[in-house]
Amino acid sequence: DAGVIQSPRHEVTEMGQEVTLRCKPISGHNSLFWYRQTMMRGLELLIYFNNNVPIDDSGMPEDRFSAKMPNASFSTLKIQPSEPRDSAVYFCASSSRGGDLTEAFFGQGTRLTVV
Amino acid sequence: AQSVTQPDIHITVSEGASLELRCNYSYGATPYLFWYVQSPGQGLQLLLKYFSGDTLVQGIKGFEAEFKRSQSSFNLRKPSVHWSDAAEYFCAVAYGNKLVFGAGTILRVKS
């Protein structure tokens, strides 16, 4: 398996623009997680899905952030409008057991820079 | 509330020396504990995990970790560090279906 695939790897955008980050989880995994990593706050869980359904979005910082998982093989994280403080590395991870986390496999991340 | 503390932000060791990275957690029930490693520009890779049973767990790349319930600790060890071990290491505890991470420890290896 190719692992968790994220795109793009790098994104530079201007403040106010819409940004969409994409994730393809490992085939057969039924849980998907979006994390944000910054120097100041470390790794923060933004949202996670189980069987394509959002279970906990309490980590989503504000209404500018939204996430979807239309099917088991694809998820998006959207920021609209983007702000410089959204600059971070965004990781997607997937795992195979929804109610009992065994191991989360991480993608290589998307480095977002908002100027 | 669940939390993970990694008290050392940076650690520098000589190649061939032993290594111990500290991790303390706060969690009311029996924890599921993990150590991940992140190389520059890469995602996180699982080194090892503890769910139950033997409190000394072996992982990849020669790493091991010991769960000590009385100390709420899950320290990572390696008897002899290689230059390729230079990376950032994260301890994590599973809370429900979520992973809560520590702030990370950056390991530098000097030759």
Side-chain angles (χ1 to χ4, degrees):
Chain A
D1 198 311
V4 177
I5 299 173
Q6 291 186 246
S7 64
R9 290 292 310 277
H10 302 273
E11 177 80 38
V12 180
T13 191
E14 292 185 346
M15 182 174 61
Q17 296 298 306
E18 176 180 298
V19 175
T20 299
L21 312 181
R22 297 173 175 79
C23 175
K24 176 178 167 55
I26 293 173
S27 178
H29 283 190
N30 60 357
S31 291
L32 183 140
F33 309 82
W34 282 102
Y35 283 86
R36 177 172 68 176
Q37 185 179 38
T38 61
M39 289 291 292
M40 292 298 295
R41 301 174 69 90
L43 274 161
E44 304 172 277
L45 177 65
L46 300 178
I47 185 171
Y48 78 92
F49 295 84
N50 189 34
N51 294 323
N52 311 338
V53 177
I55 302 300
D56 184 350
D57 65 354
S58 59
M60 296 285 262
E62 48 197 279
D63 292 345
R64 297 184 297 106
F65 286 69
S66 63
K68 294 182 180 179
M69 193 166 185
N71 57 62
S73 59
F74 183 66
S75 177
T76 59
L77 178 68
K78 185 179 293 186
I79 308 173
Q80 165 63 17
S82 58
E83 297 183 3
R85 60 195 170 114
D86 302 329
S87 298
V89 180
Y90 291 80
F91 287 104
C92 177
S94 69
S95 69
S96 60
R97 293 176 68 177
D100 179 14
L101 181 68
T102 54
E103 176 183 346
F105 292 83
F106 283 76
Q108 291 189 299
T110 296
R111 182 174 294 278
L112 173 65
T113 303
V114 183
V115 297
Chain B
Q2 69 287 356
S3 65
V4 178
T5 302
Q6 293 180 248
D8 303 307
I9 298 174
H10 297 97
I11 282 187
T12 300
V13 299
S14 298
E15 192 169 14
S18 64
L19 170 71
E20 182 170 30
L21 302 182
R22 295 183 291 165
C23 172
N24 292 94
Y25 66 90
S26 171
Y27 186 59
T30 300
Y32 291 175
L33 296 160
F34 305 79
W35 274 100
Y36 282 83
V37 60
Q38 184 180 28
S39 298
Q42 301 297 312
L44 281 75
Q45 181 185 21
L46 181 70
L47 284 176
L48 47 80
K49 59 190 176 186
Y50 170 79
F51 288 167
S52 64
D54 193 347
T55 56
L56 184 65
V57 293
Q58 303 297 320
I60 62 172
K61 305 185 180 185
F63 285 91
E64 66 178 27
E66 186 172 12
F67 169 59
K68 293 185 177 180
R69 184 185 299 276
S70 61
Q71 298 178 18
S72 297
S73 69
F74 189 56
N75 294 348
L76 182 71
R77 301 194 294 248
K78 187 170 185 178
S80 178
V81 170
H82 188 263
W83 65 266
S84 60
D85 294 324
E88 188 163 15
Y89 293 79
F90 292 90
C91 182
V93 61
Y95 176 68
N97 201 31
K98 300 188 290 187
L99 274 177
V100 176
F101 285 88
T105 297
I106 296 173
L107 173 64
R108 298 189 179 111
V109 180
K110 59 182 181 180
S111 55

